[in-house]
Amino acid sequence: MTDYTKSELEAAHAELLDNDLGDDGLRTDGGLVDDEQNPPVVVKIGGARAVDPEGALADIAHLVANGEEVVVVHGGSTAVDDTLERMGEESEYVETPGGVVGRFTDETTMEVFEMVLPGKLNTDLVAGLQNQGVNAVGLSGADGKLLTGPRKSAVKVVEDGRKKIKRGDHSGKIEAVNDDLLSKLLAGSYVPVVTVPMLAEEGGSDETGEGGGAGATEYTPVNADADRAAAAIAGALGGELVVLTDVAGVYEDPDDSDTLIESVGTPAELDAAEDAAEGFMIKKVMAAVEALAGGAASVTVADANNRDPITAARTGHGTTFEPEAVR
């Protein structure tokens, strides 16, 4: 890729087209210009096989050239699954009593997470942004205690229709974000690129309600859901959260792409979106609620493969959750 100068980015910015998805024939640029600083834009780039991050990286470059503050958050479950398979290991997924399907992270899987996410994937995204002229800085949740909370040493699961306690999990719940670290980087015109693991206090409570450890001083890197990490960061910064994935948003009927829910602005509309969400979309809706409850300005779930996908998401292409939906 070409390493663009700031003036070249600004010139390209003036000619940037949107996704041409509307009927009004209008074109939009890659950012919003006004006299006041907009809230930071927190962009979650999904790790699904069908997601191509290149469009998002180019769009981030235009946003930054236009003076926007951007934080990138990414996951990488697909890459972790692929690495485990090459090692001859199997990925294990479990279902909670609430119907949410998630990864069970054992010791081997945790080691792979540490290698793949902050290692290869984070480095690749940072390099991609540098090639777009963006001064990006890679961080895991362990750096500067960026993402912290208790470890879940055990989780409640459903197996063969029965509720069980499954122990040995290496995951945690994010309860605190070092937003001061992110704010300092943003003030220095850097773009933080954040991934898990988070940093957990050993002895914290698990999903069974067991454990204490209020005075724990030892920390352990553990897995955490990347959508919910992005939600925690967006809430802490009061930012706009854009969750980029491999579909256009939340559908009333997940099997019918013509049933996109465009706006969620009331508790009733939120109930409908939660009822409609299936599979991986359940956690994205959960993340939207957590982000708004934590102070985020808005949340939009949108297609990562649109041209200029962040600009598209911010101009009406996707499912947008408003703060009023959780109040």
Side-chain angles (χ1 to χ4, degrees), residues 28-42:
T28 62
D29 62 18
L32 306 174
V33 181
D34 54 35
D35 293 333
E36 297 183 3
Q37 178 66 48
N38 294 307
V41 182
V42 180

Side-chain angles (χ1 to χ4, degrees), residues 205-229:
S205 63
D206 57 38
E207 283 200 354
T208 69
E210 298 176 357
T217 56
E218 293 188 3
Y219 292 92
T220 301
V222 297
N223 186 22
D225 180 71
D227 288 320
R228 299 171 84 172

